[in-house]
Amino acid sequence: MEVVMSCVARLSAAAACVALSLASLTACSPGGSTPDASIAEGDVPRFTGTYADEYRETWLSADIDFVRDVIRDEEITEQEWAEVVKRFDDCLDEHDIELVEYEEDGAYGVERGAGLSDERVQDAMTECEGESGETVLGRLWHSQRQNPSNRDPNELIYDCLIRLGALDPSYSLENYLRDNPEFAFPFLTDEGPDLYATCSAAPLTATGDE
């Protein structure tokens, strides 16, 4: 069997997929789904936490009841997340694809069955991410763990790069935002791109020793 890797952008679209060197096939979870027009505004629970807007958006866009059952209390527990991953694993198994690892940051590796094309594997991964709730619930799960106060992800990554010495403290957040689209940062060290990947994956806890 051939190993196929997938990286999933959870914290920042600008940081998508930079933390992994992927072989053969790469897939990132889609940004969101179309809201269900049949869900009335009055049916939405009153979410009040730091991720209230994200929970509300997830509730409205969810197309499976399992997702709404999980987020109804504005919390995704360890047990509920384990069930999400199990549902994802079971779905992949139905397509003759084995989930061989699932990283804390949402990246995962699979092994494809004999004769499965890249397109069939990609389609199955996308289908199972959706049917299991992995895409939408994973976005909430990982974001809340990496960024509990729901700060702007760009600010978190910027602060991390300054803390790890990748950028000079005189380099402002405004400059960072200006240079971000072209990845034109004036890194102080050759390890700058690696530190960026590290900060993108875990901006609050990164030490530079990973």
Side-chain angles (χ1 to χ4, degrees):
M1 286 189 173
E2 179 183 359
V3 175
V4 179
M5 300 297 295
S6 172
C7 84
V8 184
R10 304 296 188 190
L11 181 62
S12 168
C17 302
V18 298
L20 296 174
S21 175
L22 307 180
S24 176
L25 180 66
T26 300
C28 287
S29 289
S33 53
T34 303
D36 185 348
S38 66
I39 302 298
E41 292 290 318
D43 295 333
V44 181
R46 185 172 179 269
F47 300 120
T48 60
T50 55
Y51 277 85
D53 289 344
E54 288 80 0
Y55 272 92
R56 179 182 178 81
E57 177 185 351
T58 299
W59 180 278
L60 290 171
S61 65
D63 52 11
I64 56 175
D65 290 337
F66 172 73
V67 169
R68 295 193 183 96
D69 289 341
V70 169
I71 68 172
R72 188 180 301 275
D73 59 356
E74 203 170 356
E75 180 184 15
I76 303 174
T77 66
E78 295 273 357
Q79 182 178 2
E80 288 170 333
W81 180 244
E83 176 63 18
V84 172
V85 176
K86 183 180 184 303
R87 288 166 59 97
F88 182 47
D89 187 13
D90 290 345
C91 178
L92 289 172
D93 188 60
E94 293 177 1
H95 292 275
D96 195 23
I97 299 172
E98 179 184 357
L99 182 65
V100 295
E101 60 180 323
Y102 194 100
E103 304 288 348
E104 289 188 6
D105 63 359
Y108 61 88
V110 301
E111 288 186 352
R112 72 176 81 200
L116 291 180
S117 66
D118 286 357
E119 182 178 3
R120 286 186 62 188
V121 173
Q122 179 63 74
D123 288 346
M125 289 161 60
T126 300
E127 175 187 326
C128 291
E129 286 171 356
E131 290 187 358
S132 65
E134 192 274 343
T135 299
V136 292
L137 293 176
R139 189 180 303 115
L140 282 171
W141 170 259
H142 297 291
S143 293
Q144 286 186 285
R145 290 168 66 88
Q146 295 175 7
N147 183 12
S149 59
N150 202 9
R151 289 178 55 197
D152 182 338
N154 283 310
E155 292 183 9
L156 293 179
I157 296 172
Y158 166 78
D159 288 346
C160 177
L161 290 169
I162 296 295
R163 186 178 75 250
L164 298 188
L167 295 172
D168 191 282
S170 64
Y171 182 72
S172 68
L173 175 62
E174 289 73 19
N175 289 333
Y176 172 87
L177 295 174
R178 178 199 64 201
D179 296 337
N180 191 35
E182 302 298 327
F183 199 71
F185 305 121
F187 289 124
L188 299 178
T189 169
D190 291 340
E191 296 178 351
D194 291 335
L195 292 174
Y196 178 87
T198 297
C199 287
S200 297
L204 295 178
T205 59
T207 64
D209 298 327
E210 289 81 358

mmCIF file with all atom_site columns, all heavy atoms in Angstrom, residues 166-180:
data_model
loop_
_atom_site.group_PDB
_atom_site.id
_atom_site.type_symbol
_atom_site.label_atom_id
_atom_site.label_alt_id
_atom_site.label_comp_id
_atom_site.label_asym_id
_atom_site.label_entity_id
_atom_site.label_seq_id
_atom_site.pdbx_PDB_ins_code
_atom_site.Cartn_x
_atom_site.Cartn_y
_atom_site.Cartn_z
_atom_site.occupancy
_atom_site.B_iso_or_equiv
_atom_site.pdbx_formal_charge
_atom_site.auth_seq_id
_atom_site.auth_comp_id
_atom_site.auth_asym_id
_atom_site.auth_atom_id
_atom_site.pdbx_PDB_model_num
ATOM 1   N N   . ALA A 1 166 ? 12.831 34.833 14.909 1.00 0.00 ? 166 ALA A N   1
ATOM 2   C CA  . ALA A 1 166 ? 12.829 34.720 13.450 1.00 0.00 ? 166 ALA A CA  1
ATOM 3   C C   . ALA A 1 166 ? 12.735 36.088 12.783 1.00 0.00 ? 166 ALA A C   1
ATOM 4   O O   . ALA A 1 166 ? 13.218 36.276 11.660 1.00 0.00 ? 166 ALA A O   1
ATOM 5   C CB  . ALA A 1 166 ? 11.677 33.837 12.988 1.00 0.00 ? 166 ALA A CB  1
ATOM 6   N N   . LEU A 1 167 ? 12.110 37.045 13.473 1.00 0.00 ? 167 LEU A N   1
ATOM 7   C CA  . LEU A 1 167 ? 11.959 38.400 12.955 1.00 0.00 ? 167 LEU A CA  1
ATOM 8   C C   . LEU A 1 167 ? 12.431 39.398 14.000 1.00 0.00 ? 167 LEU A C   1
ATOM 9   O O   . LEU A 1 167 ? 12.325 39.161 15.209 1.00 0.00 ? 167 LEU A O   1
ATOM 10  C CB  . LEU A 1 167 ? 10.487 38.681 12.613 1.00 0.00 ? 167 LEU A CB  1
ATOM 11  C CG  . LEU A 1 167 ? 9.865  37.870 11.477 1.00 0.00 ? 167 LEU A CG  1
ATOM 12  C CD1 . LEU A 1 167 ? 8.362  38.143 11.398 1.00 0.00 ? 167 LEU A CD1 1
ATOM 13  C CD2 . LEU A 1 167 ? 10.528 38.181 10.151 1.00 0.00 ? 167 LEU A CD2 1
ATOM 14  N N   . ASP A 1 168 ? 12.947 40.520 13.545 1.00 0.00 ? 168 ASP A N   1
ATOM 15  C CA  . ASP A 1 168 ? 13.394 41.574 14.451 1.00 0.00 ? 168 ASP A CA  1
ATOM 16  C C   . ASP A 1 168 ? 12.183 42.217 15.121 1.00 0.00 ? 168 ASP A C   1
ATOM 17  O O   . ASP A 1 168 ? 11.158 42.461 14.467 1.00 0.00 ? 168 ASP A O   1
ATOM 18  C CB  . ASP A 1 168 ? 14.176 42.636 13.665 1.00 0.00 ? 168 ASP A CB  1
ATOM 19  C CG  . ASP A 1 168 ? 14.892 43.599 14.579 1.00 0.00 ? 168 ASP A CG  1
ATOM 20  O OD1 . ASP A 1 168 ? 14.219 44.507 15.127 1.00 0.00 ? 168 ASP A OD1 1
ATOM 21  O OD2 . ASP A 1 168 ? 16.110 43.449 14.751 1.00 0.00 ? 168 ASP A OD2 1
ATOM 22  N N   . PRO A 1 169 ? 12.277 42.512 16.428 1.00 0.00 ? 169 PRO A N   1
ATOM 23  C CA  . PRO A 1 169 ? 11.139 43.133 17.121 1.00 0.00 ? 169 PRO A CA  1
ATOM 24  C C   . PRO A 1 169 ? 10.703 44.466 16.517 1.00 0.00 ? 169 PRO A C   1
ATOM 25  O O   . PRO A 1 169 ? 9.549  44.880 16.717 1.00 0.00 ? 169 PRO A O   1
ATOM 26  C CB  . PRO A 1 169 ? 11.674 43.331 18.550 1.00 0.00 ? 169 PRO A CB  1
ATOM 27  C CG  . PRO A 1 169 ? 12.717 42.271 18.693 1.00 0.00 ? 169 PRO A CG  1
ATOM 28  C CD  . PRO A 1 169 ? 13.365 42.148 17.347 1.00 0.00 ? 169 PRO A CD  1
ATOM 29  N N   . SER A 1 170 ? 11.600 45.138 15.794 1.00 0.00 ? 170 SER A N   1
ATOM 30  C CA  . SER A 1 170 ? 11.229 46.406 15.166 1.00 0.00 ? 170 SER A CA  1
ATOM 31  C C   . SER A 1 170 ? 10.340 46.210 13.940 1.00 0.00 ? 170 SER A C   1
ATOM 32  O O   . SER A 1 170 ? 9.740  47.164 13.444 1.00 0.00 ? 170 SER A O   1
ATOM 33  C CB  . SER A 1 170 ? 12.490 47.177 14.757 1.00 0.00 ? 170 SER A CB  1
ATOM 34  O OG  . SER A 1 170 ? 13.224 46.468 13.759 1.00 0.00 ? 170 SER A OG  1
ATOM 35  N N   . TYR A 1 171 ? 10.254 44.972 13.477 1.00 0.00 ? 171 TYR A N   1
ATOM 36  C CA  . TYR A 1 171 ? 9.408  44.638 12.336 1.00 0.00 ? 171 TYR A CA  1
ATOM 37  C C   . TYR A 1 171 ? 7.971  44.551 12.841 1.00 0.00 ? 171 TYR A C   1
ATOM 38  O O   . TYR A 1 171 ? 7.630  43.670 13.629 1.00 0.00 ? 171 TYR A O   1
ATOM 39  C CB  . TYR A 1 171 ? 9.872  43.310 11.742 1.00 0.00 ? 171 TYR A CB  1
ATOM 40  C CG  . TYR A 1 171 ? 9.142  42.830 10.515 1.00 0.00 ? 171 TYR A CG  1
ATOM 41  C CD1 . TYR A 1 171 ? 9.305  43.447 9.282  1.00 0.00 ? 171 TYR A CD1 1
ATOM 42  C CD2 . TYR A 1 171 ? 8.313  41.709 10.589 1.00 0.00 ? 171 TYR A CD2 1
ATOM 43  C CE1 . TYR A 1 171 ? 8.651  42.975 8.155  1.00 0.00 ? 171 TYR A CE1 1
ATOM 44  C CE2 . TYR A 1 171 ? 7.655  41.230 9.465  1.00 0.00 ? 171 TYR A CE2 1
ATOM 45  C CZ  . TYR A 1 171 ? 7.831  41.866 8.253  1.00 0.00 ? 171 TYR A CZ  1
ATOM 46  O OH  . TYR A 1 171 ? 7.192  41.386 7.139  1.00 0.00 ? 171 TYR A OH  1
ATOM 47  N N   . SER A 1 172 ? 7.125  45.450 12.391 1.00 0.00 ? 172 SER A N   1
ATOM 48  C CA  . SER A 1 172 ? 5.784  45.598 12.968 1.00 0.00 ? 172 SER A CA  1
ATOM 49  C C   . SER A 1 172 ? 4.799  44.586 12.411 1.00 0.00 ? 172 SER A C   1
ATOM 50  O O   . SER A 1 172 ? 5.020  43.962 11.364 1.00 0.00 ? 172 SER A O   1
ATOM 51  C CB  . SER A 1 172 ? 5.254  47.010 12.706 1.00 0.00 ? 172 SER A CB  1
ATOM 52  O OG  . SER A 1 172 ? 5.005  47.177 11.315 1.00 0.00 ? 172 SER A OG  1
ATOM 53  N N   . LEU A 1 173 ? 3.672  44.458 13.127 1.00 0.00 ? 173 LEU A N   1
ATOM 54  C CA  . LEU A 1 173 ? 2.589  43.604 12.656 1.00 0.00 ? 173 LEU A CA  1
ATOM 55  C C   . LEU A 1 173 ? 2.066  44.109 11.315 1.00 0.00 ? 173 LEU A C   1
ATOM 56  O O   . LEU A 1 173 ? 1.730  43.315 10.432 1.00 0.00 ? 173 LEU A O   1
ATOM 57  C CB  . LEU A 1 173 ? 1.451  43.577 13.685 1.00 0.00 ? 173 LEU A CB  1
ATOM 58  C CG  . LEU A 1 173 ? 0.181  42.819 13.273 1.00 0.00 ? 173 LEU A CG  1
ATOM 59  C CD1 . LEU A 1 173 ? 0.475  41.343 13.018 1.00 0.00 ? 173 LEU A CD1 1
ATOM 60  C CD2 . LEU A 1 173 ? -0.892 42.963 14.354 1.00 0.00 ? 173 LEU A CD2 1
ATOM 61  N N   . GLU A 1 174 ? 2.022  45.423 11.146 1.00 0.00 ? 174 GLU A N   1
ATOM 62  C CA  . GLU A 1 174 ? 1.562  45.986 9.877  1.00 0.00 ? 174 GLU A CA  1
ATOM 63  C C   . GLU A 1 174 ? 2.471  45.548 8.736  1.00 0.00 ? 174 GLU A C   1
ATOM 64  O O   . GLU A 1 174 ? 2.002  45.208 7.634  1.00 0.00 ? 174 GLU A O   1
ATOM 65  C CB  . GLU A 1 174 ? 1.517  47.514 9.956  1.00 0.00 ? 174 GLU A CB  1
ATOM 66  C CG  . GLU A 1 174 ? 0.409  48.074 10.836 1.00 0.00 ? 174 GLU A CG  1
ATOM 67  C CD  . GLU A 1 174 ? 0.676  47.871 12.324 1.00 0.00 ? 174 GLU A CD  1
ATOM 68  O OE1 . GLU A 1 174 ? 1.845  47.638 12.702 1.00 0.00 ? 174 GLU A OE1 1
ATOM 69  O OE2 . GLU A 1 174 ? -0.295 47.936 13.106 1.00 0.00 ? 174 GLU A OE2 1
ATOM 70  N N   . ASN A 1 175 ? 3.785  45.519 8.986  1.00 0.00 ? 175 ASN A N   1
ATOM 71  C CA  . ASN A 1 175 ? 4.720  45.053 7.963  1.00 0.00 ? 175 ASN A CA  1
ATOM 72  C C   . ASN A 1 175 ? 4.517  43.566 7.681  1.00 0.00 ? 175 ASN A C   1
ATOM 73  O O   . ASN A 1 175 ? 4.593  43.127 6.527  1.00 0.00 ? 175 ASN A O   1
ATOM 74  C CB  . ASN A 1 175 ? 6.166  45.295 8.414  1.00 0.00 ? 175 ASN A CB  1
ATOM 75  C CG  . ASN A 1 175 ? 6.536  46.763 8.406  1.00 0.00 ? 175 ASN A CG  1
ATOM 76  O OD1 . ASN A 1 175 ? 5.967  47.545 7.650  1.00 0.00 ? 175 ASN A OD1 1
ATOM 77  N ND2 . ASN A 1 175 ? 7.469  47.139 9.256  1.00 0.00 ? 175 ASN A ND2 1
ATOM 78  N N   . TYR A 1 176 ? 4.266  42.811 8.747  1.00 0.00 ? 176 TYR A N   1
ATOM 79  C CA  . TYR A 1 176 ? 4.031  41.377 8.584  1.00 0.00 ? 176 TYR A CA  1
ATOM 80  C C   . TYR A 1 176 ? 2.809  41.130 7.699  1.00 0.00 ? 176 TYR A C   1
ATOM 81  O O   . TYR A 1 176 ? 2.853  40.308 6.774  1.00 0.00 ? 176 TYR A O   1
ATOM 82  C CB  . TYR A 1 176 ? 3.837  40.736 9.960  1.00 0.00 ? 176 TYR A CB  1
ATOM 83  C CG  . TYR A 1 176 ? 3.398  39.300 9.906  1.00 0.00 ? 176 TYR A CG  1
ATOM 84  C CD1 . TYR A 1 176 ? 4.334  38.268 9.814  1.00 0.00 ? 176 TYR A CD1 1
ATOM 85  C CD2 . TYR A 1 176 ? 2.040  38.963 9.937  1.00 0.00 ? 176 TYR A CD2 1
ATOM 86  C CE1 . TYR A 1 176 ? 3.923  36.940 9.750  1.00 0.00 ? 176 TYR A CE1 1
ATOM 87  C CE2 . TYR A 1 176 ? 1.622  37.643 9.877  1.00 0.00 ? 176 TYR A CE2 1
ATOM 88  C CZ  . TYR A 1 176 ? 2.572  36.637 9.791  1.00 0.00 ? 176 TYR A CZ  1
ATOM 89  O OH  . TYR A 1 176 ? 2.160  35.330 9.710  1.00 0.00 ? 176 TYR A OH  1
ATOM 90  N N   . LEU A 1 177 ? 1.726  41.844 7.968  1.00 0.00 ? 177 LEU A N   1
ATOM 91  C CA  . LEU A 1 177 ? 0.508  41.675 7.181  1.00 0.00 ? 177 LEU A CA  1
ATOM 92  C C   . LEU A 1 177 ? 0.726  42.102 5.731  1.00 0.00 ? 177 LEU A C   1
ATOM 93  O O   . LEU A 1 177 ? 0.171  41.498 4.802  1.00 0.00 ? 177 LEU A O   1
ATOM 94  C CB  . LEU A 1 177 ? -0.634 42.482 7.803  1.00 0.00 ? 177 LEU A CB  1
ATOM 95  C CG  . LEU A 1 177 ? -1.088 42.034 9.190  1.00 0.00 ? 177 LEU A CG  1
ATOM 96  C CD1 . LEU A 1 177 ? -2.123 43.006 9.754  1.00 0.00 ? 177 LEU A CD1 1
ATOM 97  C CD2 . LEU A 1 177 ? -1.656 40.623 9.149  1.00 0.00 ? 177 LEU A CD2 1
ATOM 98  N N   . ARG A 1 178 ? 1.554  43.111 5.536  1.00 0.00 ? 178 ARG A N   1
ATOM 99  C CA  . ARG A 1 178 ? 1.867  43.573 4.179  1.00 0.00 ? 178 ARG A CA  1
ATOM 100 C C   . ARG A 1 178 ? 2.643  42.523 3.397  1.00 0.00 ? 178 ARG A C   1
ATOM 101 O O   . ARG A 1 178 ? 2.385  42.286 2.213  1.00 0.00 ? 178 ARG A O   1
ATOM 102 C CB  . ARG A 1 178 ? 2.680  44.864 4.264  1.00 0.00 ? 178 ARG A CB  1
ATOM 103 C CG  . ARG A 1 178 ? 3.128  45.452 2.924  1.00 0.00 ? 178 ARG A CG  1
ATOM 104 C CD  . ARG A 1 178 ? 4.275  46.414 3.140  1.00 0.00 ? 178 ARG A CD  1
ATOM 105 N NE  . ARG A 1 178 ? 5.463  45.731 3.655  1.00 0.00 ? 178 ARG A NE  1
ATOM 106 C CZ  . ARG A 1 178 ? 6.456  46.341 4.309  1.00 0.00 ? 178 ARG A CZ  1
ATOM 107 N NH1 . ARG A 1 178 ? 6.384  47.637 4.576  1.00 0.00 ? 178 ARG A NH1 1
ATOM 108 N NH2 . ARG A 1 178 ? 7.503  45.644 4.727  1.00 0.00 ? 178 ARG A NH2 1
ATOM 109 N N   . ASP A 1 179 ? 3.603  41.870 4.076  1.00 0.00 ? 179 ASP A N   1
ATOM 110 C CA  . ASP A 1 179 ? 4.492  40.932 3.401  1.00 0.00 ? 179 ASP A CA  1
ATOM 111 C C   . ASP A 1 179 ? 3.956  39.507 3.346  1.00 0.00 ? 179 ASP A C   1
ATOM 112 O O   . ASP A 1 179 ? 4.477  38.665 2.617  1.00 0.00 ? 179 ASP A O   1
ATOM 113 C CB  . ASP A 1 179 ? 5.858  40.916 4.110  1.00 0.00 ? 179 ASP A CB  1
ATOM 114 C CG  . ASP A 1 179 ? 6.569  42.258 4.023  1.00 0.00 ? 179 ASP A CG  1
ATOM 115 O OD1 . ASP A 1 179 ? 6.249  43.030 3.103  1.00 0.00 ? 179 ASP A OD1 1
ATOM 116 O OD2 . ASP A 1 179 ? 7.434  42.524 4.882  1.00 0.00 ? 179 ASP A OD2 1
ATOM 117 N N   . ASN A 1 180 ? 2.903  39.244 4.124  1.00 0.00 ? 180 ASN A N   1
ATOM 118 C CA  . ASN A 1 180 ? 2.409  37.877 4.242  1.00 0.00 ? 180 ASN A CA  1
ATOM 119 C C   . ASN A 1 180 ? 1.952  37.260 2.917  1.00 0.00 ? 180 ASN A C   1
ATOM 120 O O   . ASN A 1 180 ? 2.278  36.104 2.629  1.00 0.00 ? 180 ASN A O   1
ATOM 121 C CB  . ASN A 1 180 ? 1.281  37.824 5.267  1.00 0.00 ? 180 ASN A CB  1
ATOM 122 C CG  . ASN A 1 180 ? 0.883  36.417 5.638  1.00 0.00 ? 180 ASN A CG  1
ATOM 123 O OD1 . ASN A 1 180 ? 1.706  35.523 5.711  1.00 0.00 ? 180 ASN A OD1 1
ATOM 124 N ND2 . ASN A 1 180 ? -0.406 36.204 5.880  1.00 0.00 ? 180 ASN A ND2 1
#
